[in-house]
Amino acid sequence: MKKRITLGLIAIMTAFVGHVAIANNQPLTLDWIDLVPEHERAQFDRRGMPDIRHDAENPQSLVGSVRPELNNSQVKIPGFVIPLEGDDKVVTEFLLVPFLGACIHVPPPPPNQIIYVKFADGAPIQALWDVVYVEGTLNTEHVIHDLAEVGYVLEGTALSDYDDG
């Protein structure tokens, strides 16, 4: 009974914070663990990553699901860019991941820890090695890409340096 009350309070507080952000025309600022449903977070570390070995034999972990209540939310989330479409000045599609080298040098994170970002007009990318904030409309959508399976798609509206927060 106590656990149900606690989970209920967490759900109410999460909804309240989301409504306050919407009321203020501010996007909901997320951390990567926020993309993992509450009842699944015990299997993830504080960064939102399951316990994995980093070797070539270790494929993408498909552990975890998405949070459907985040569908169609205005959000802001920090991450690293893996360009997919664009040129040397702008990128129109990219994967946003929680740590440098994800999907390239180590096995990809689980699908609920990768966001497929689309910028219709292109987003300028000056330093791909730096953390950036991405803002836009987040949707729960399963995408299979050559690099990884993805659980979220974001229609990007703004990209800024992480320092600018």
Side-chain angles (χ1 to χ4, degrees), residues 21 45 88 122 130 153:
D45 67 18
D88 62 340
D130 294 332
V153 173

Side-chain angles (χ1 to χ4, degrees), residues 17-165:
V17 170
H19 289 298
V20 168
I22 291 168
N24 293 328
N25 281 337
Q26 296 294 316
L28 180 62
T29 301
L30 299 175
D31 289 319
W32 286 92
I33 194 66
D34 296 328
L35 300 176
V36 178
E38 184 74 31
H39 67 277
E40 296 179 1
R41 291 182 184 176
Q43 59 192 331
F44 287 80
D45 67 18
R46 64 180 178 75
R47 296 174 302 139
M49 289 298 302
D51 184 30
I52 59 174
R53 290 186 349 247
H54 296 287
D55 60 36
E57 300 293 319
N58 193 20
Q60 180 182 17
S61 169
L62 301 179
V63 169
S65 55
V66 296
R67 290 187 50 204
E69 67 271 21
L70 291 175
N71 197 46
N72 207 32
S73 296
Q74 296 301 310
V75 302
K76 178 178 181 179
I77 187 165
F80 291 90
V81 172
I82 299 173
L84 300 175
E85 297 289 331
D87 57 32
D88 62 340
K89 294 183 176 89
V90 297
V91 63
T92 55
E93 296 184 14
F94 59 89
L95 297 180
L96 189 71
V97 295
F99 59 90
L100 184 63
C103 300
I104 296 173
H105 302 297
V106 296
N112 65 5
Q113 295 295 282
I114 304 174
I115 301 173
Y116 194 106
V117 180
K118 299 177 183 180
F119 268 86
D121 298 326
I125 299 294
Q126 290 81 20
L128 295 179
W129 306 110
D130 294 332
V131 179
V132 295
Y133 265 119
V134 180
E135 292 182 42
T137 304
L138 185 70
N139 289 292
T140 55
E141 185 178 331
H142 187 103
V143 174
I144 297 176
H145 187 274
D146 291 344
L147 293 176
E149 289 190 37
V150 177
Y152 294 97
V153 173
L154 189 140
E155 293 295 331
T157 57
L159 187 133
S160 60
D161 292 338
Y162 182 70
D163 294 338
D164 295 342

